[in-house]
Amino acid sequence: MTTTQSTGEISGNVLFYKSPEPLNREQHAKLALVHKEKPYAFAAAGTAVPLTVSEFGPAALTFPVIFAGDDRVPLAVMGLNNAENLFIGADGSVEPNVYIPAYIRRYPFVLANDDGQDRLIVCIDRGSELLSEQGQTPLFDAKGEPTEYTQQCIKFCDDFELERRRTDSFIALLKELDLFELKKATFQPQDETGAAAGEPVTVAEYYGVSEEKLNKLSAEKLKELQENGALAQIYAHLVSLLGWDRLVNKTMMRQVEAETAAAAAANLN
């Protein structure tokens, strides 16, 4: 159950949210959404962003889908360097045809735990530049009720929570089948002729599904994974790992552009 009226404390740190607080009709009566043509500046430093299992397919077309930590949290890898997103600019712009994870699209709304009453409550990031008393789309109407926009945002958060729970079940299944293994993404430096130069460089270490373990599953278990939809998501994850090369190339291009700009600036001086 979720609620928009609470004075309880919320717990947990949430990526991108500076000052999350429970949505309240008295405190936030005058708040409204600020319409921006490029609204995603808050995610420009998001190197890895949480995904739900239903997003593996579309996300795999853009970036690697990996699993991290003891909980094997699914993440969309959107950059290689700390606090760098190769697909979202500092001005909030997004590279064309890039999938934007639901985790980003739900911002500045989020569901959080209410420690006092053991429930989920609707929160907003009060520090978000997308919310202001000078905004265009009010969060509450004149009667103090959530506007249609706010109701849609709450439903999106509720749907996201359902998908998150489905994702937890998916991860639990993969753990039960012992399908995870530690993987490495590597980059092979090349000389001017395209020949290998030096030893491969490790770009990242992460958890992924072992194809060897997957192939050793019984026909009965594979059929079960196929019927419950898990097999398709596993293959989407495996295909997504081809995206490491794209990230490496984009990182190198950005570095060259930065060096060129720095050299040009130095020549001007």
Side-chain angles (χ1 to χ4, degrees):
M1 177 181 177
T2 59
T3 177
T4 63
Q5 189 75 14
S6 174
T7 57
E9 295 296 322
I10 60 176
S11 64
N13 296 318
V14 189
L15 179 67
F16 302 139
Y17 294 77
K18 300 176 183 177
S19 304
E21 58 185 46
L23 183 61
N24 185 285
R25 59 172 55 92
E26 280 80 30
Q27 296 177 17
H28 306 134
K30 297 181 180 180
L31 275 186
L33 176 73
V34 177
H35 292 278
K36 290 190 175 185
E37 184 179 349
K38 302 174 181 179
Y40 296 120
F42 66 89
T47 304
V49 179
L51 282 177
T52 61
V53 65
S54 62
E55 299 180 276
F56 283 18
L61 299 176
T62 305
F63 20 64
V65 175
I66 68 170
F67 302 89
D70 292 339
D71 292 335
R72 306 294 192 264
V73 177
L75 299 172
V77 183
M78 304 182 76
L80 296 182
N81 296 318
N82 188 40
E84 176 185 70
N85 191 314
L86 295 169
F87 303 92
I88 299 178
D91 61 351
S93 60
V94 178
E95 184 177 296
N97 302 317
V98 165
Y99 178 75
I100 301 298
Y103 186 98
I104 293 177
R105 286 183 278 124
R106 71 175 177 172
Y107 185 87
F109 287 79
V110 66
L111 296 184
N113 292 318
D114 185 330
D115 289 338
Q117 302 188 43
D118 189 27
R119 62 179 177 176
L120 290 173
I121 55 176
V122 180
C123 297
I124 57 171
D125 183 2
R126 192 63 183 84
S128 174
E129 295 181 355
L130 296 176
L131 295 174
S132 168
E133 292 188 2
Q134 286 73 49
Q136 292 79 31
T137 304
L139 300 188
F140 294 96
D141 60 24
K143 296 180 180 179
E145 297 299 323
T147 59
E148 182 178 354
Y149 162 74
T150 302
Q151 293 177 41
Q152 291 174 351
C153 291
I154 293 173
K155 184 180 185 306
F156 191 91
C157 287
D158 284 337
D159 291 344
F160 183 88
E161 177 63 18
L162 291 175
E163 287 300 315
R164 189 192 65 77
R165 292 177 182 178
R166 284 188 61 235
T167 303
D168 288 345
S169 298
F170 172 77
I171 298 302
L173 176 60
L174 267 56
K175 284 184 175 181
E176 179 185 336
L177 296 174
D178 189 30
L179 291 181
F180 287 113
E181 69 175 357
L182 193 62
K183 292 175 176 278
K184 288 185 179 181
T186 60
F187 163 65
Q188 176 61 64
Q190 298 177 342
D191 60 22
E192 296 179 353
T193 67
E199 296 297 320
V201 177
T202 297
V203 174
E205 289 189 351
Y206 60 95
Y207 288 103
V209 172
S210 166
E211 292 186 68
E212 180 180 356
K213 292 181 178 180
L214 180 65
N215 292 333
K216 288 183 178 179
L217 291 179
S218 66
E220 180 182 358
K221 182 57 65 174
L222 285 172
K223 182 178 180 181
E224 180 182 330
L225 291 176
Q226 181 182 28
E227 290 177 346
N228 65 22
L231 191 60
Q233 307 299 355
I234 289 172
Y235 281 129
H237 149 67
L238 292 173
V239 170
S240 80
L241 300 182
L242 298 173
W244 285 113
D245 287 344
R246 182 184 186 188
L247 289 184
V248 169
N249 291 334
K250 287 178 70 66
T251 301
M252 293 177 65
M253 289 177 60
R254 181 170 289 193
Q255 184 176 356
V256 169
E257 291 171 357
E259 292 173 352
T260 301
N267 290 334
L268 290 176
N269 294 331

